[in-house]
Amino acid sequence: MNSSKTNEQQQPERFIDLRNCLNELVRDGLIDQRDANFLSGSPRGREEALLHPLTYIGNKNLDNLKEPGKKLDEETLTRWLAEKAGQPYFNIDPLDINVSAVTEVVSFAYAKRHQLLCVGVTKDLVTIATAQPWVRSWEEGIEHISRRRVRRVVAKPSDIQRYMVEFYSLAKSVSSAVSEGGGHNIGIGNFEQLLELEKLKDPDANDQHIINIVDWLLQYAFEQRASDIHIEPRRELGKVRFRIDGV
């Protein structure tokens, strides 16, 4: 175990809530006490109450007192949290993630319960994204199950929520489509890169598997303003390319 991880584990485990998050932001000079008191005392609806504090605060369009003219959006707040925790900030880009591999590390139910997402797997290491950098109760379990060391990173909580559903839904859709189609040894391959589907169902619900995959492809292409989609089917691997900004 390296020294940085040892130092991290010596710190008491704590869960970030809205009040202590606002207090830390005031202490670091990003917001003033008036804004903190207003947000802390404002009534929140059911949906807002379920949001991670960084998402909730980021939605309020507050000025960044340390950088005049800029807003405290969720990304800025998440980078701030990562720096405070001494953990890398991680931008979840579905095109850089092997969805078939990361969704095999832990179940959807486990990821949902602990609000985390595996975003990388190597022979000796699993990279886990979370927005609760001082909660470690899940870490030993993942290391035991995966037989790999855990590398922690901090990602935007809204991205963790979004891609948690999308990754597991896509993996299930492709696996089911292959199974129902009688395919042999067909891995998810590059289909895992076709992410971005609005209002996905829970992965445990019944999917129209092929429709879901095609919807992912078209939605991703639309959001990225792709002018072309090139599909190159092979016996065991399908390649999909997007032309975006001429590239």
Side-chain angles (χ1 to χ4, degrees):
M1 184 177 295
N2 58 45
S3 59
S4 63
K5 187 169 182 178
T6 301
N7 292 336
E8 179 185 322
Q9 290 185 340
Q10 289 175 349
Q11 299 179 17
E13 182 169 282
R14 62 187 176 96
F15 186 85
I16 300 170
D17 61 23
L18 180 60
R19 186 177 296 276
N20 61 42
C21 186
L22 290 169
N23 289 338
E24 291 287 341
L25 287 168
V26 171
R27 189 175 296 115
D28 289 352
L30 276 76
I31 65 174
D32 59 30
Q33 190 63 55
R34 183 183 59 180
D35 284 336
N37 292 341
F38 175 77
L39 290 183
S40 180
S42 296
R44 288 182 286 167
R46 183 176 181 277
E47 290 187 3
E48 283 191 327
L50 294 174
L51 295 176
H52 187 283
L54 297 188
T55 306
Y56 176 73
I57 298 169
N59 289 342
K60 296 304 178 180
N61 202 35
L62 297 178
D63 291 327
N64 185 343
L65 298 185
K66 276 196 169 181
E67 297 186 52
K70 294 186 178 181
K71 297 295 183 180
L72 277 179
D73 57 17
E74 187 184 16
E75 180 176 351
T76 301
L77 290 166
T78 307
R79 290 182 180 276
W80 163 80
L81 178 63
E83 184 176 353
K84 286 189 72 69
Q87 297 174 20
Y89 171 80
F90 189 90
N91 178 49
I92 302 176
D93 184 349
L95 294 184
D96 292 334
I97 294 175
N98 184 336
V99 172
S100 63
V102 300
T103 52
E104 289 176 357
V105 173
V106 297
S107 68
F108 173 74
Y110 188 94
K112 187 175 182 179
R113 181 165 69 252
H114 294 284
Q115 294 299 295
L116 54 83
L117 182 64
C118 181
V119 292
V121 182
T122 66
K123 180 181 178 182
D124 303 312
L125 190 71
V126 290
T127 301
I128 305 294
T130 177
Q132 292 287 351
W134 291 290
V135 175
R136 299 183 300 275
S137 56
W138 49 266
E139 189 170 335
E140 185 176 351
I142 290 182
E143 289 187 333
H144 177 73
I145 293 170
S146 67
R147 298 175 183 266
R148 295 174 174 91
R149 184 169 58 87
V150 165
R151 171 180 178 253
R152 301 173 62 108
V153 296
V154 178
K156 289 195 300 182
S158 63
D159 280 353
I160 293 173
Q161 290 290 328
R162 173 184 183 177
Y163 290 116
M164 184 190 304
V165 175
E166 291 194 5
F167 286 3
Y168 284 92
S169 293
L170 182 60
K172 182 177 186 293
S173 289
V174 174
S175 176
S176 298
V178 169
S179 176
E180 293 176 7
H184 300 285
N185 300 320
I186 302 178
I188 284 183
N190 284 345
F191 278 117
E192 67 219 17
Q193 316 306 336
L194 315 180
L195 307 173
E196 312 290 336
L197 180 63
E198 296 295 332
K199 300 179 181 177
L200 283 175
K201 300 183 294 295
D202 184 272
D204 292 330
N206 292 325
D207 293 325
Q208 300 180 57
H209 312 301
I210 298 299
I211 293 175
N212 274 2
I213 295 168
V214 174
D215 280 347
W216 258 303
L217 187 157
L218 295 176
Q219 184 68 26
Y220 182 84
F222 177 79
E223 291 187 359
Q224 298 298 318
R225 299 182 181 274
S227 60
D228 300 74
I229 303 174
H230 298 261
I231 302 176
E232 300 179 7
R234 296 289 187 269
R235 178 173 296 179
E236 295 185 355
L237 181 70
K239 291 187 177 181
V240 180
R241 293 187 174 93
F242 304 96
R243 184 182 301 279
I244 302 172
D245 295 331
V247 179

